[in-house]
Short mmCIF file of all heavy atoms in Angstrom, two decimals:
data_model
loop_
_atom_site.label_atom_id
_atom_site.label_comp_id
_atom_site.label_asym_id
_atom_site.label_seq_id
_atom_site.Cartn_x
_atom_site.Cartn_y
_atom_site.Cartn_z
N VAL A 15 -6.65 -12.13 0.58
CA VAL A 15 -7.87 -12.93 0.74
C VAL A 15 -8.56 -12.41 1.93
O VAL A 15 -9.79 -12.13 1.95
CB VAL A 15 -7.50 -14.39 1.03
CG1 VAL A 15 -8.73 -15.21 1.27
CG2 VAL A 15 -6.77 -14.99 -0.21
N ASP A 16 -7.79 -12.17 3.04
CA ASP A 16 -8.39 -11.56 4.22
C ASP A 16 -7.62 -10.33 4.57
O ASP A 16 -6.63 -10.36 5.32
CB ASP A 16 -8.38 -12.57 5.35
CG ASP A 16 -9.19 -12.05 6.56
OD1 ASP A 16 -9.37 -10.77 6.67
OD2 ASP A 16 -9.54 -12.83 7.43
N GLU A 17 -8.02 -9.26 4.00
CA GLU A 17 -7.16 -8.06 4.10
C GLU A 17 -7.20 -7.48 5.53
O GLU A 17 -6.27 -6.81 5.95
CB GLU A 17 -7.60 -6.98 3.15
CG GLU A 17 -9.00 -6.48 3.36
CD GLU A 17 -9.63 -6.00 2.11
OE1 GLU A 17 -9.25 -6.38 1.05
OE2 GLU A 17 -10.63 -5.17 2.30
N GLY A 18 -8.28 -7.71 6.23
CA GLY A 18 -8.35 -7.23 7.62
C GLY A 18 -7.32 -7.86 8.47
O GLY A 18 -6.57 -7.17 9.22
N VAL A 19 -7.10 -9.13 8.30
CA VAL A 19 -6.09 -9.88 9.11
C VAL A 19 -4.66 -9.37 8.71
O VAL A 19 -3.85 -9.11 9.53
CB VAL A 19 -6.15 -11.37 8.85
CG1 VAL A 19 -5.00 -12.12 9.52
CG2 VAL A 19 -7.52 -11.92 9.45
N ALA A 20 -4.46 -9.27 7.38
CA ALA A 20 -3.16 -8.83 6.89
C ALA A 20 -2.87 -7.43 7.36
O ALA A 20 -1.70 -7.10 7.76
CB ALA A 20 -3.11 -8.88 5.37
N SER A 21 -3.81 -6.56 7.30
CA SER A 21 -3.68 -5.17 7.71
C SER A 21 -3.30 -5.11 9.18
O SER A 21 -2.36 -4.38 9.63
CB SER A 21 -4.96 -4.42 7.49
OG SER A 21 -4.88 -3.11 8.03
N ALA A 22 -4.03 -5.92 10.01
CA ALA A 22 -3.72 -5.91 11.42
C ALA A 22 -2.32 -6.48 11.68
O ALA A 22 -1.56 -5.91 12.54
CB ALA A 22 -4.77 -6.79 12.13
N ALA A 23 -1.90 -7.49 10.96
CA ALA A 23 -0.58 -8.05 11.11
C ALA A 23 0.49 -7.03 10.77
O ALA A 23 1.49 -6.91 11.46
CB ALA A 23 -0.44 -9.29 10.30
N LEU A 24 0.28 -6.31 9.72
CA LEU A 24 1.25 -5.30 9.34
C LEU A 24 1.29 -4.14 10.38
O LEU A 24 2.35 -3.69 10.75
CB LEU A 24 0.82 -4.68 7.96
CG LEU A 24 1.72 -3.62 7.35
CD1 LEU A 24 3.18 -4.17 7.28
CD2 LEU A 24 1.25 -3.17 5.99
N ALA A 25 0.14 -3.78 10.87
CA ALA A 25 0.08 -2.80 11.91
C ALA A 25 0.84 -3.23 13.15
O ALA A 25 1.61 -2.43 13.73
CB ALA A 25 -1.33 -2.35 12.23
N GLN A 26 0.64 -4.49 13.49
CA GLN A 26 1.35 -5.02 14.65
C GLN A 26 2.86 -5.05 14.39
O GLN A 26 3.72 -4.72 15.29
CB GLN A 26 0.89 -6.45 14.92
CG GLN A 26 -0.48 -6.43 15.65
CD GLN A 26 -1.07 -7.84 15.67
OE1 GLN A 26 -0.46 -8.85 15.31
NE2 GLN A 26 -2.34 -7.90 16.07
N ALA A 27 3.24 -5.44 13.21
CA ALA A 27 4.68 -5.43 12.89
C ALA A 27 5.25 -4.01 12.99
O ALA A 27 6.39 -3.82 13.44
CB ALA A 27 4.88 -5.93 11.43
N PHE A 28 4.51 -3.04 12.53
CA PHE A 28 4.90 -1.69 12.63
C PHE A 28 5.16 -1.26 14.10
O PHE A 28 6.16 -0.69 14.45
CB PHE A 28 3.87 -0.76 11.98
CG PHE A 28 4.21 0.70 11.99
CD1 PHE A 28 5.03 1.22 11.00
CD2 PHE A 28 3.77 1.56 12.98
CE1 PHE A 28 5.37 2.54 10.99
CE2 PHE A 28 4.09 2.85 13.01
CZ PHE A 28 4.91 3.37 11.97
N GLU A 29 4.16 -1.65 14.92
CA GLU A 29 4.28 -1.33 16.34
C GLU A 29 5.52 -2.00 16.99
O GLU A 29 6.25 -1.40 17.77
CB GLU A 29 3.03 -1.80 17.13
CG GLU A 29 1.76 -1.04 16.78
CD GLU A 29 1.82 0.40 17.39
OE1 GLU A 29 2.64 0.65 18.22
OE2 GLU A 29 0.88 1.20 17.02
N ARG A 30 5.73 -3.23 16.56
CA ARG A 30 6.79 -3.96 17.16
C ARG A 30 8.19 -3.53 16.72
O ARG A 30 9.15 -3.51 17.52
CB ARG A 30 6.69 -5.48 16.68
CG ARG A 30 6.47 -6.39 17.87
CD ARG A 30 6.42 -7.89 17.46
NE ARG A 30 6.26 -8.24 16.15
CZ ARG A 30 5.10 -8.57 15.60
NH1 ARG A 30 3.98 -8.54 16.30
NH2 ARG A 30 5.00 -8.96 14.32
N HIS A 31 8.32 -3.17 15.48
CA HIS A 31 9.67 -2.97 14.88
C HIS A 31 10.08 -1.51 14.56
O HIS A 31 11.16 -1.25 14.27
CB HIS A 31 9.79 -3.84 13.62
CG HIS A 31 9.64 -5.26 13.82
ND1 HIS A 31 10.43 -5.96 14.67
CD2 HIS A 31 8.72 -6.13 13.34
CE1 HIS A 31 10.07 -7.30 14.67
NE2 HIS A 31 9.01 -7.36 13.89
N ARG A 32 9.11 -0.67 14.51
CA ARG A 32 9.36 0.68 14.02
C ARG A 32 10.49 1.40 14.77
O ARG A 32 11.45 1.86 14.20
CB ARG A 32 8.04 1.48 13.93
CG ARG A 32 8.20 2.79 13.20
CD ARG A 32 8.33 3.95 14.19
NE ARG A 32 8.51 5.20 13.60
CZ ARG A 32 8.82 6.31 14.25
NH1 ARG A 32 8.90 6.30 15.56
NH2 ARG A 32 9.06 7.46 13.62
N ASP A 33 10.31 1.53 16.07
CA ASP A 33 11.27 2.28 16.90
C ASP A 33 12.66 1.64 16.78
O ASP A 33 13.66 2.31 16.65
CB ASP A 33 10.85 2.32 18.39
CG ASP A 33 9.63 3.24 18.58
OD1 ASP A 33 9.24 3.83 17.59
OD2 ASP A 33 9.21 3.37 19.68
N TRP A 34 12.67 0.35 16.88
CA TRP A 34 13.97 -0.42 16.79
C TRP A 34 14.61 -0.11 15.45
O TRP A 34 15.79 0.13 15.35
CB TRP A 34 13.61 -1.89 16.92
CG TRP A 34 14.60 -2.83 16.42
CD1 TRP A 34 15.74 -3.32 17.11
CD2 TRP A 34 14.68 -3.42 15.14
NE1 TRP A 34 16.42 -4.16 16.36
CE2 TRP A 34 15.82 -4.28 15.09
CE3 TRP A 34 13.88 -3.34 14.00
CZ2 TRP A 34 16.12 -4.99 13.99
CZ3 TRP A 34 14.16 -4.08 12.90
CH2 TRP A 34 15.35 -4.90 12.88
N LEU A 35 13.82 -0.11 14.40
CA LEU A 35 14.35 0.11 13.05
C LEU A 35 14.91 1.54 12.92
O LEU A 35 15.97 1.80 12.30
CB LEU A 35 13.27 -0.14 12.00
CG LEU A 35 13.69 -0.08 10.53
CD1 LEU A 35 14.74 -1.13 10.26
CD2 LEU A 35 12.46 -0.26 9.62
N VAL A 36 14.19 2.50 13.42
CA VAL A 36 14.65 3.88 13.39
C VAL A 36 15.99 4.04 14.06
O VAL A 36 16.89 4.69 13.56
CB VAL A 36 13.62 4.87 13.93
CG1 VAL A 36 14.14 6.24 14.13
CG2 VAL A 36 12.32 4.89 13.08
N ARG A 37 16.07 3.38 15.22
CA ARG A 37 17.35 3.50 15.96
C ARG A 37 18.48 2.91 15.19
O ARG A 37 19.58 3.53 15.08
CB ARG A 37 17.17 2.75 17.31
CG ARG A 37 16.25 3.40 18.28
CD ARG A 37 16.11 2.59 19.56
NE ARG A 37 15.00 2.91 20.35
CZ ARG A 37 14.96 3.95 21.21
NH1 ARG A 37 16.05 4.64 21.35
NH2 ARG A 37 13.90 4.25 21.89
N ARG A 38 18.27 1.75 14.59
CA ARG A 38 19.35 1.10 13.83
C ARG A 38 19.72 2.03 12.61
O ARG A 38 20.91 2.22 12.32
CB ARG A 38 18.90 -0.21 13.25
CG ARG A 38 18.73 -1.31 14.28
CD ARG A 38 20.10 -1.71 14.87
NE ARG A 38 19.97 -2.94 15.66
CZ ARG A 38 19.54 -3.06 16.89
NH1 ARG A 38 19.13 -1.92 17.51
NH2 ARG A 38 19.47 -4.14 17.50
N LEU A 39 18.74 2.51 11.92
CA LEU A 39 18.99 3.30 10.75
C LEU A 39 19.67 4.63 11.10
O LEU A 39 20.51 5.17 10.36
CB LEU A 39 17.71 3.56 9.97
CG LEU A 39 17.07 2.32 9.33
CD1 LEU A 39 15.70 2.66 8.78
CD2 LEU A 39 17.98 1.84 8.17
N ALA A 40 19.34 5.15 12.25
CA ALA A 40 19.96 6.41 12.68
C ALA A 40 21.49 6.18 12.86
O ALA A 40 22.28 7.07 12.63
CB ALA A 40 19.34 6.92 13.98
N LEU A 41 21.80 5.02 13.31
CA LEU A 41 23.27 4.67 13.49
C LEU A 41 23.95 4.57 12.15
O LEU A 41 25.09 4.98 12.03
CB LEU A 41 23.37 3.36 14.27
CG LEU A 41 24.20 3.36 15.56
CD1 LEU A 41 23.64 4.41 16.50
CD2 LEU A 41 24.23 2.03 16.20
N ILE A 42 23.18 4.11 11.17
CA ILE A 42 23.87 3.95 9.87
C ILE A 42 23.95 5.28 9.12
O ILE A 42 24.95 5.56 8.55
CB ILE A 42 22.97 2.89 9.05
CG1 ILE A 42 23.08 1.48 9.66
CG2 ILE A 42 23.55 2.82 7.58
CD1 ILE A 42 22.13 0.49 9.04
N VAL A 43 22.87 6.03 9.17
CA VAL A 43 22.84 7.27 8.40
C VAL A 43 23.31 8.53 9.16
O VAL A 43 23.64 9.54 8.63
CB VAL A 43 21.50 7.55 7.75
CG1 VAL A 43 21.08 6.39 6.82
CG2 VAL A 43 20.41 7.80 8.76
N GLY A 44 23.29 8.41 10.50
CA GLY A 44 23.72 9.49 11.32
C GLY A 44 22.81 10.65 11.45
O GLY A 44 23.18 11.71 11.91
N ASP A 45 21.49 10.41 11.14
CA ASP A 45 20.54 11.47 11.24
C ASP A 45 19.16 10.92 11.51
O ASP A 45 18.69 10.07 10.83
CB ASP A 45 20.51 12.25 9.88
CG ASP A 45 19.51 13.35 9.91
OD1 ASP A 45 19.85 14.41 10.45
OD2 ASP A 45 18.41 13.21 9.37
N VAL A 46 18.56 11.36 12.62
CA VAL A 46 17.29 10.67 13.02
C VAL A 46 16.12 10.97 12.03
O VAL A 46 15.35 10.11 11.76
CB VAL A 46 16.90 11.17 14.43
CG1 VAL A 46 15.57 10.60 14.85
CG2 VAL A 46 17.98 10.84 15.42
N GLU A 47 16.16 12.20 11.54
CA GLU A 47 15.08 12.50 10.60
C GLU A 47 15.11 11.64 9.36
O GLU A 47 14.13 11.14 8.85
CB GLU A 47 15.10 14.00 10.24
CG GLU A 47 13.92 14.41 9.42
CD GLU A 47 13.92 15.91 9.07
OE1 GLU A 47 14.64 16.65 9.71
OE2 GLU A 47 13.17 16.27 8.09
N GLU A 48 16.30 11.52 8.83
CA GLU A 48 16.48 10.61 7.65
C GLU A 48 16.11 9.22 8.00
O GLU A 48 15.50 8.47 7.22
CB GLU A 48 17.91 10.76 7.13
CG GLU A 48 18.04 10.00 5.83
CD GLU A 48 19.45 10.17 5.18
OE1 GLU A 48 20.20 11.05 5.66
OE2 GLU A 48 19.76 9.34 4.27
N ALA A 49 16.55 8.83 9.23
CA ALA A 49 16.19 7.44 9.65
C ALA A 49 14.68 7.26 9.73
O ALA A 49 14.15 6.18 9.38
CB ALA A 49 16.83 7.22 11.00
N ASN A 50 13.98 8.29 10.17
CA ASN A 50 12.51 8.23 10.20
C ASN A 50 11.93 7.97 8.84
O ASN A 50 11.03 7.16 8.62
CB ASN A 50 11.94 9.48 10.80
CG ASN A 50 11.76 9.47 12.29
OD1 ASN A 50 11.30 8.47 12.86
ND2 ASN A 50 12.32 10.43 12.97
N ASP A 51 12.47 8.71 7.88
CA ASP A 51 11.93 8.60 6.50
C ASP A 51 12.29 7.27 5.92
O ASP A 51 11.51 6.61 5.20
CB ASP A 51 12.53 9.70 5.62
CG ASP A 51 11.73 10.98 5.77
OD1 ASP A 51 10.51 10.97 6.01
OD2 ASP A 51 12.36 12.07 5.74
N LEU A 52 13.52 6.78 6.24
CA LEU A 52 13.87 5.46 5.68
C LEU A 52 13.12 4.36 6.32
O LEU A 52 12.76 3.41 5.64
CB LEU A 52 15.39 5.29 5.94
CG LEU A 52 16.37 6.11 5.16
CD1 LEU A 52 17.79 6.02 5.64
CD2 LEU A 52 16.35 5.62 3.67
N ALA A 53 12.80 4.54 7.62
CA ALA A 53 11.95 3.51 8.22
C ALA A 53 10.55 3.48 7.60
O ALA A 53 9.94 2.45 7.35
CB ALA A 53 11.82 3.77 9.73
N GLN A 54 10.06 4.72 7.33
CA GLN A 54 8.77 4.82 6.60
C GLN A 54 8.77 4.10 5.33
O GLN A 54 7.89 3.34 4.93
CB GLN A 54 8.47 6.29 6.47
CG GLN A 54 7.09 6.56 5.87
CD GLN A 54 6.06 6.83 6.95
OE1 GLN A 54 6.24 6.45 8.04
NE2 GLN A 54 4.94 7.39 6.57
N GLU A 55 9.85 4.34 4.54
CA GLU A 55 10.04 3.70 3.24
C GLU A 55 10.15 2.23 3.39
O GLU A 55 9.65 1.46 2.57
CB GLU A 55 11.25 4.36 2.52
CG GLU A 55 11.43 3.86 1.12
CD GLU A 55 10.35 4.40 0.14
OE1 GLU A 55 9.69 5.38 0.50
OE2 GLU A 55 10.19 3.74 -0.92
N THR A 56 10.83 1.80 4.39
CA THR A 56 11.02 0.38 4.56
C THR A 56 9.67 -0.29 4.85
O THR A 56 9.36 -1.40 4.28
CB THR A 56 11.94 0.07 5.85
OG1 THR A 56 13.18 0.73 5.64
CG2 THR A 56 12.12 -1.38 6.04
N PHE A 57 8.78 0.37 5.62
CA PHE A 57 7.45 -0.22 5.87
C PHE A 57 6.58 -0.12 4.60
O PHE A 57 5.67 -0.95 4.41
CB PHE A 57 6.75 0.51 7.09
CG PHE A 57 7.25 -0.13 8.33
CD1 PHE A 57 8.16 0.50 9.14
CD2 PHE A 57 6.80 -1.37 8.77
CE1 PHE A 57 8.68 -0.09 10.33
CE2 PHE A 57 7.21 -1.95 9.93
CZ PHE A 57 8.11 -1.31 10.76
N ALA A 58 6.87 0.91 3.79
CA ALA A 58 6.19 0.93 2.49
C ALA A 58 6.51 -0.30 1.66
O ALA A 58 5.65 -0.92 1.03
CB ALA A 58 6.54 2.18 1.73
N ARG A 59 7.76 -0.63 1.72
CA ARG A 59 8.23 -1.86 0.93
C ARG A 59 7.55 -3.11 1.59
O ARG A 59 7.10 -4.01 0.87
CB ARG A 59 9.70 -2.02 1.02
CG ARG A 59 10.50 -0.82 0.34
CD ARG A 59 10.36 -0.91 -1.15
NE ARG A 59 10.94 0.37 -1.75
CZ ARG A 59 12.19 0.45 -2.20
NH1 ARG A 59 13.00 -0.59 -2.12
NH2 ARG A 59 12.59 1.55 -2.72
N ALA A 60 7.53 -3.06 2.93
CA ALA A 60 6.93 -4.23 3.60
C ALA A 60 5.48 -4.34 3.15
O ALA A 60 4.97 -5.51 2.98
CB ALA A 60 7.07 -4.06 5.10
#
Side-chain angles (χ1 to χ4, degrees):
Chain A
V15 176
D16 187 339
E17 66 208 22
V19 171
S21 172
L24 182 57
Q26 284 168 9
F28 182 84
E29 291 286 350
R30 241 186 344 264
H31 300 300
R32 189 259 177 187
D33 286 0
W34 160 87
L35 184 63
V36 170
R37 290 177 197 279
R38 291 292 193 280
L39 291 171
L41 236 55
I42 295 172
V43 302
D45 181 78
V46 178
E47 188 179 339
E48 187 178 346
N50 271 312
D51 280 324
L52 288 168
Q54 184 93 341
E55 185 68 20
T56 304
F57 278 100
R59 300 288 173 93

